[in-house]
Amino acid sequence: MKIRIIILSLLLASVSITQAQFFCQAGFTYSIGQNGTVTFTNTSSSNFLNAQYLWSFGDGGTDTTTNPIHIYNGTGPMCAVLP
């Protein structure tokens, strides 16, 4: 009887784990409006169910919305990033 319990415990401890395949590719387009307003459109693709975004606009501003609108107060080149 003890042997059956040990065998049963070993069978229950045998678990198969499958690694899921995830992908995420960041991308966006933008349009420049009046008074330094820039509208960003997220074109990213991912198979994550609850993807989150962190935009960095190059002037210290950030946003976590999917398609942000940002107002630039300065002039010159700015580097917007969606990592």
Side-chain angles (χ1 to χ4, degrees), residues 4 8 17 19 21 27-28 34 41 44 51-52 64 73 76 83:
R4 288 185 186 167
L8 181 58
I17 298 174
Q19 185 177 7
Q21 298 295 321
F28 64 89
Q34 299 292 322
T41 302
S44 301
Q52 297 179 344
T64 58
N73 293 316

Side-chain angles (χ1 to χ4, degrees), residues 1-15:
M1 193 143 192
K2 287 184 182 179
I3 294 173
R4 288 185 186 167
I5 293 172
I6 292 171
I7 292 173
L8 181 58
S9 295
L10 290 174
L11 290 175
L12 291 176
S14 176
V15 177

Side-chain angles (χ1 to χ4, degrees), residues 24-78:
C24 181
Q25 182 172 352
F28 64 89
T29 61
Y30 64 92
S31 61
I32 301 172
Q34 299 292 322
N35 302 320
T37 300
V38 180
T39 302
F40 293 90
T41 302
N42 188 341
T43 61
S44 301
S45 60
S46 171
N47 66 347
F48 293 112
L49 295 177
N50 295 315
Q52 297 179 344
Y53 305 99
L54 176 59
W55 297 82
S56 177
F57 299 113
D59 63 353
T62 61
D63 201 321
T64 58
T65 61
T66 303
N67 298 300
I69 297 172
H70 185 71
I71 299 173
Y72 286 97
N73 293 316
T75 59
M78 298 288 177

